[in-house]
Amino acid sequence: MYKIVDKKQLNEAVELMVIKAPYVARKCEPGQFIILRADNNSERIPLTIADYNREEETVTIIYQVVGYSTKVLYEKQVGDSVVDFVGPLGKPTELKKHKKVLGIGGGVGAAPLYPQIRKLHEMGVEVDVILGGRSDEYIILEEEFKAVTKNLYFATNDGSKGKEGFVTDILNELIANGEEYDEVIAIGPLVMMKAVVGITKPLNIQTAVSLNPVMIDGTGMCGGCRVTVGNEIKFACVDGPDFDGLLVDFDECLRRQNMYKEEEHSCRIGLEGGQNNA
Amino acid sequence: MPNMSPKKVQIPEQDPQIRRKNFDEVALGYTLEQAMEEATRCLQCKTKPCVDGCPVNVPIPEFIKAVEDGNIDEAYSIITKENALPAICGRVCPQESQCEGRCVRAKKGESVGIGRLERFVADYIMSKGNIEPKNIEKNGIKVAVVGAGPAGLTCAGELAKKGYEVTVFEALHELGGVLLYGIPEFRLPKSLVAKEVQSIIDMGVEINKNVIVGRSITVDELFEEGYKAIFVGSGAGLPKFMNLEGENLNGVYSANEFLTRVNLMKAYDFPNNPTPVKTGKRVAVVGGGNVAMDAARTAVRLGAEEVYIVYRRGEEELPARLEEIHHAKEEGVIFKLLNNPTKIIGDEKGWVTGMECVQMELGEPDDSGRRRPRVKENSEFILPVETVVIAIGQSPNPLIRQTTPGLSVESWGGIIVQEETMETSKEYVYAGGDAVTGAATVILAMGAGKTAAEAIHKKVLELQG
Ligand SMILES: Cc1cc2nc3c(=O)[nH]c(=O)nc-3n(C[C@H](O)[C@H](O)[C@H](O)COP(=O)(O)OP(=O)(O)OC[C@H]3O[C@@H](n4cnc5c(N)ncnc54)[C@H](O)[C@@H]3O)c2cc1C
Ligand SMILES: Cc1cc2nc3c(=O)[nH]c(=O)nc-3n(C[C@H](O)[C@H](O)[C@H](O)COP(=O)(O)OP(=O)(O)OC[C@H]3O[C@@H](n4cnc5c(N)ncnc54)[C@H](O)[C@@H]3O)c2cc1C
Ligand code: SF4
Ligand code: SF4
Ligand code: FES
């Protein structure tokens, strides 16, 4: 059993949890994830490691309530436990000592982006970040990002914070203004990452994305998480979750992500939308 | 006077038409009377050819004698001296090529039902309640076991019996390895796996679930934590695909994923359990081994109307246990033998609509002695299906070899060991089961775990002088 030592609501649908998990906390690195089961009849759900504390042996996750299992998790209180918490899974992100990097975080994608940006900052890399969300309320970790970025931009669908529109509108502007980035790191909903790559690929700007296909074991055993990258089949849980965005077959990812849409229809849990995005 | 009936005493089974719709066990098992009667068919051969066929040398005539006498406790203690998981082996061993294949009775008629008797003994004892855990004096020496499949569990149990402080590290949230996530409930009830696993835990083995060796902690770090020896029983969990066009379409599963969703995550009970699985009306399972039979029979139970086994060789070459093939046919699985898939076809939304296949014919025998299949010209056809399950084999997961310097492996990923001791190229690291052999059998994995336990014991004793 893995104890929930702290939790904090970040907005209506997004929550941060700090969980005691010695094995994960001792070894994890930015870019890796965990799989948890909230209780004995829950699904195994993958969540990115948003932060960790090696001394306290805790791991921080930030998740959006989108369906049944995230709802079960959401109902847990500080002092309760989750039954399973395994990791760290996946390969750590390979952060290169570039001169200048642009991070793009869509919705809850800001959570996995943050530890990477912080690490780049610590390495002395100059970083700009664009955060996107439905509205002001859906922008998370603003203060944290502020502390580690040179320029922080916002895009919201309703214009309640920053620019009205999408993160890609800002990306286009930055490029038009002659900003040059050695690498773009985009983490968010698949459609967002696809749109980002739609811009960076013609310009041949190196772009890292973090894929989140449906997973079960997270150890390479089931093959359910397979994605096509540069015409090769990869298992996102062991070969990723980070991949070269310019090589990813996003349409296939989008298709596969919807495999269980019918079964996971939000009416089952009384949630509206049920979309895993910003 | 031995019973000279040429046939085994029949084992009661669920009717095929009924069991097609449930996940309950197919074979119901002998009653005490039936078991005692079957036991009288054993000739108590002095040379014990059957025992030579058993990879862990269960004293077969001895335990059968005890059954004949109605002394089931005695039979159980004879079996468990050599085999820690009798209820499981009795159900899943390929007996026809092992113990029963060597039985003298098989020369004229059917062999003695050794597997059925073994299973009866274990079930009988377990149904009487808990088996008394024996009090074992600990020697304070720590040994780590990676993986809670049959190889790891057997090694852990054997070492615990000798007094070692054994800790098992398992990646998943349940114990049993393939016994749990692979082999379906209707063939091997999970409650039974849990009981046999519990009897090993009761020997004082410590279990550490949700720990992936290579990620959560490495082999070298285990040594730093004071483990004197490490047994790697990580299995062959990596599913093989065929590199066919259309293999990533929605509706294409590896057998591992299909079976894991159903067994480990209980998708058959969706939505009571939240993990879903997709089965169309028509399902094609590619492959001819136990894994393929399990996937096909699972699809039948999930409500598929037409389920095909697509296998590129002929009936004779099917590697599955005879009983599974027989049961699959009874349940209505359609065998498309001498057929090989060439492409999976999908609709504009990316869902499977069919599988293109070619017919095969058998040519000259290859190195393995099996006749080599070759493609018949102009024999392409499309099998209309909504689900495709690829069950063509598994190879060892690369994680441990990638994170353990000094561990030598074969080009295909199997860990290289010395056969007599199961020691790897890295001193004090042992390995066995599917991680070494590639996908094989439960009993071979157990045999390897046992051999390694003996070798570890010997080595540690030498060390202590
Ligand atoms: C490597 C990785 C890292 C992730 N990190 C985060 C994170 O930091 N924060 C966060 O909020 N979400 C993250 N996700 C997504 C998160 O796992 C899903 O939102 C969650 O599993 C949904 O479960 P549910 O039962 O609540 O929703 P459901 O009703 O089951 O599904 C809602 C949608 O979530 C997706 N989904 C469902 N099951 C899975 C699964 N087993 N694996 C992946 N996606 C699934 C599907 O697209 C589905 O349509 C990550 C996913 C992956 C693969
Ligand atoms: C569907 C199916 C049906 C089968 N039917 C039969 C049958 O009828 N008869 C028969 O004899 N055999 C059958 N087999 C084969 C048999 O199950 C295997 O040969 C046997 O289970 C191998 O045992 P093992 O202990 O080596 O590995 P496994 O059973 O694979 O167990 C390995 C364990 O190690 C864990 N693990 C892996 N990597 C790590 C890591 N890095 N850290 C921690 N833990 C890890 C895994 O999660 C797993 O629990 C079948 C196999 C399948 C898939
Ligand atoms: S363990 Fe398997 S091979 Fe050995 S006697 Fe039992 S059923 Fe036969
Ligand atoms: S070979 Fe057959 S008949 Fe002979 S002892 Fe073994 S089980 Fe009995
Ligand atoms: S989640 Fe099963 S192989 Fe990646």
Side-chain angles (χ1 to χ4, degrees):
Chain A
M1 299 287 261
Y2 305 79
K3 200 165 184 169
I4 300 166
V5 294
D6 199 5
K7 82 174 214 166
K8 189 163 99 196
Q9 184 111 17
L10 299 185
N11 65 42
E12 183 196 20
V14 176
E15 185 171 72
L16 173 154
M17 253 183 197
V18 182
I19 295 178
K20 180 106 179 164
Y23 278 102
V24 184
R26 269 179 237 150
K27 284 204 82 100
C28 61
E29 294 292 338
Q32 291 187 297
F33 62 101
I34 56 92
I35 286 187
L36 67 76
R37 272 194 337 144
D39 57 30
N40 274 323
N41 284 314
S42 285
E43 279 177 285
R44 294 171 63 94
I45 54 171
L47 296 168
T48 309
I49 296 166
D51 205 353
Y52 51 87
N53 185 323
R54 304 229 199 265
E55 283 77 48
E56 310 268 318
E57 302 191 317
T58 59
V59 173
T60 304
I61 49 171
I62 296 181
Y63 67 96
Q64 183 169 9
V65 181
V66 292
Y68 178 81
S69 298
T70 41
K71 184 110 187 286
V72 174
L73 183 60
Y74 179 73
E75 276 155 15
K76 299 255 170 194
Q77 302 304 323
V78 172
D80 292 348
S81 298
V82 296
V83 291
D84 299 298
F85 194 93
V86 59
L89 300 166
K91 289 197 175 140
T93 308
E94 278 179 50
L95 294 167
K96 294 175 216 83
K97 205 171 157 12
H98 288 304
K99 275 213 344 251
K100 200 166 171 192
V101 168
L102 176 69
I104 305 180
V108 73
L113 182 65
Y114 173 68
Q116 301 191 21
I117 299 298
R118 185 181 60 186
K119 182 112 178 211
L120 283 170
H121 175 74
E122 284 164 5
M123 287 161 65
V125 178
E126 184 183 326
V127 232
D128 291 349
V129 163
I130 313 171
L131 295 181
R134 241 182 284 167
S135 66
D136 185 9
E137 219 221 323
Y138 288 87
I139 302 288
I140 57 170
L141 304 175
E142 180 178 344
E143 292 308 315
E144 285 82 349
F145 273 106
K146 212 173 249 167
V148 295
T149 50
K150 180 139 183 275
N151 298 299
L152 184 58
Y153 307 96
F154 303 97
T156 49
N157 299 11
D158 61 359
S160 55
K161 188 176 190 78
K163 192 178 172 58
E164 177 175 342
F166 299 109
V167 289
T168 41
D169 296 333
I170 299 185
L171 173 62
N172 275 325
E173 270 173 33
L174 291 173
I175 291 170
N177 291 344
E179 290 281 357
E180 283 186 13
Y181 296 103
D182 303 310
E183 184 173 17
V184 172
I185 303 175
I187 309 183
L190 274 173
V191 280
M192 181 205 93
M193 294 189 284
K194 184 184 168 187
V196 167
V197 168
I199 295 169
T200 55
K201 194 168 176 175
L203 301 172
N204 207 17
I205 304 171
Q206 199 183 324
T207 306
V209 297
S210 179
L211 298 181
N212 52 0
V214 174
M215 294 187 177
I216 304 180
D217 55 297
T219 65
M221 182 268 276
C222 75
C225 63
R226 59 196 191 278
V227 292
T228 304
V229 182
N231 296 322
E232 265 182 71
I233 294 187
K234 302 276 183 188
F235 289 3
C237 69
V238 285
D239 302 321
D242 294 339
F243 290 103
D244 179 346
L246 306 194
L247 299 177
V248 169
D249 181 342
F250 283 102
D251 292 328
E252 182 185 276
C253 292
L254 282 160
R255 241 176 34 219
R256 289 184 62 81
Q257 184 126 70
N258 285 331
M259 189 139 156
Y260 299 100
K261 204 153 203 168
E262 258 169 68
E263 288 77 5
E264 280 158 353
H265 194 278
S266 46
C267 64
R268 248 184 67 220
I269 46 151
L271 273 182
E272 274 178 53
Q275 261 170 339
N276 184 28
N277 61 20
Chain B
M1 206 20 226
N3 168 353
M4 290 315 286
S5 160
K7 287 207 172 287
K8 293 178 188 172
V9 174
Q10 264 203 350
I11 192 161
E13 282 176 358
Q14 268 199 79
D15 181 85
Q17 288 316 313
I18 294 172
R19 69 181 196 242
R20 292 185 86 227
K21 300 196 180 73
N22 67 44
F23 278 84
D24 299 339
E25 196 175 7
V26 168
L28 304 171
Y30 281 151
T31 60
L32 177 60
E33 291 69 36
Q34 287 167 330
M36 286 170 69
E37 187 188 338
E38 178 62 23
T40 61
R41 292 184 64 235
C42 173
L43 305 178
Q44 295 293 322
C45 311
K46 289 271 158 339
T47 52
K48 308 181 190 179
C50 48
V51 178
D52 297 334
C54 171
V56 293
N57 300 319
V58 167
I60 296 166
E62 289 84 349
F63 100 75
I64 293 183
K65 184 85 189 73
V67 174
E68 186 180 345
D69 298 342
N71 191 348
I72 312 303
D73 289 290
E74 168 72 12
Y76 186 78
S77 82
I78 294 172
I79 296 171
T80 49
K81 253 184 249 147
E82 303 300 337
N83 179 353
L85 308 171
I88 293 168
C89 294
R91 284 169 168 85
V92 304
C93 268
Q95 285 98 3
E96 66 268 20
S97 53
Q98 297 181 354
C99 53
E100 295 183 12
R102 306 279 184 94
C103 172
V104 295
R105 296 294 306 262
K107 288 187 190 137
K108 235 173 129 196
E110 290 183 351
S111 69
V112 174
I114 303 170
R116 297 166 175 196
L117 288 172
E118 187 167 317
R119 139 181 193 170
F120 164 77
V121 171
D123 290 0
Y124 187 87
I125 297 298
M126 282 198 283
S127 70
K128 286 201 316 188
N130 282 348
I131 300 140
E132 279 290 297
K134 293 185 197 81
N135 238 340
I136 304 160
E137 206 178 308
K138 294 277 175 209
N139 65 14
I141 300 167
K142 284 167 67 177
V143 178
V145 168
V146 182
L153 288 171
T154 306
C155 185
E158 293 296 322
L159 286 167
K161 268 192 225 167
K162 298 185 200 299
Y164 290 83
E165 311 250 7
V166 187
T167 308
V168 176
F169 296 90
E170 167 57 47
L172 290 172
H173 64 264
E174 300 265 22
L175 308 175
V178 168
L179 303 178
L180 198 97
Y181 73 72
I183 304 181
E185 175 78 17
F186 56 81
R187 198 146 76 77
L188 184 63
K190 303 304 154 213
S191 57
L192 195 144
V193 176
K195 274 191 199 157
E196 294 218 323
V197 170
Q198 190 59 43
S199 68
I200 290 175
I201 297 175
D202 287 344
M203 291 180 209
V205 172
E206 196 184 311
I207 303 286
N208 225 331
K209 289 192 267 190
N210 296 318
V211 179
I212 302 179
V213 174
R215 286 260 197 253
S216 315
I217 189 165
T218 63
V219 166
D220 287 327
E221 285 164 344
L222 285 170
F223 282 122
E224 285 165 25
E225 292 207 342
Y227 293 98
K228 292 287 173 250
I230 295 164
F231 176 77
V232 178
S234 51
L238 191 73
K240 285 186 191 153
F241 284 94
M242 302 180 77
N243 288 322
L244 291 179
E245 189 183 326
E247 221 166 16
N248 278 5
L249 287 166
N250 287 5
V252 183
Y253 287 105
S254 74
N256 276 4
E257 182 183 3
F258 189 70
L259 292 168
T260 299
R261 282 182 174 272
V262 177
N263 296 325
L264 182 71
M265 306 310 297
K266 310 191 184 85
Y268 62 85
D269 196 20
F270 184 85
N272 288 331
N273 275 282
T275 303
V277 67
K278 282 270 182 196
T279 338
K281 282 200 162 57
R282 294 163 299 186
V283 180
V285 178
V286 182
N290 287 322
V291 185
M293 298 306 142
D294 284 345
R297 297 172 68 202
T298 296
V300 167
R301 285 163 175 75
L302 290 171
E305 288 162 15
E306 282 168 37
V307 178
Y308 302 99
I309 287 278
V310 178
Y311 180 59
R312 67 195 181 107
R313 299 180 193 250
E315 171 108 28
E316 303 261 295
E317 287 83 13
L318 281 171
R321 293 177 77 220
L322 280 181
E323 191 183 355
E324 310 315 326
I325 298 167
H326 171 70
H327 280 157
K329 285 185 178 164
E330 278 185 347
E331 289 162 13
V333 172
I334 304 156
F335 283 68
K336 290 253 169 214
L337 301 172
L338 290 167
N339 281 291
N340 204 28
T342 45
K343 179 162 126 187
I344 302 169
I345 302 159
D347 62 16
E348 64 289 349
K349 288 199 174 131
W351 285 90
V352 174
T353 57
M355 186 164 81
E356 186 188 88
C357 305
V358 286
Q359 291 179 6
M360 310 292 284
E361 54 197 357
L362 290 178
E364 296 303 305
D366 62 13
D367 300 342
S368 71
R370 295 197 297 182
R371 288 168 65 198
R372 194 194 298 271
R374 57 171 182 242
V375 178
K376 245 195 223 170
E377 264 178 67
N378 299 321
S379 63
E380 298 83 20
F381 68 101
I382 290 174
L383 194 62
V385 290
E386 290 81 37
T387 307
V388 173
V389 180
I390 310 281
I392 56 163
Q394 296 96 240
S395 54
N397 188 307
L399 192 55
I400 293 203
R401 63 177 187 260
Q402 285 165 354
T403 53
T404 312
L407 196 66
S408 303
V409 296
E410 305 279 1
S411 56
W412 50 269
I415 300 174
I416 298 172
V417 296
Q418 287 172 313
E419 234 173 81
E420 317 76 60
T421 60
M422 307 312 270
E423 191 167 18
T424 66
S425 56
K426 193 173 169 87
E427 210 182 1
Y428 296 107
V429 177
Y430 296 73
D434 284 4
V436 167
T437 56
T441 60
V442 172
I443 194 70
L444 284 173
M446 292 178 58
K450 198 163 144 182
T451 307
E454 288 299 334
I456 290 170
H457 181 50
K458 207 163 149 225
K459 181 123 177 177
V460 172
L461 282 185
E462 274 169 21
L463 187 72
Q464 308 212 310

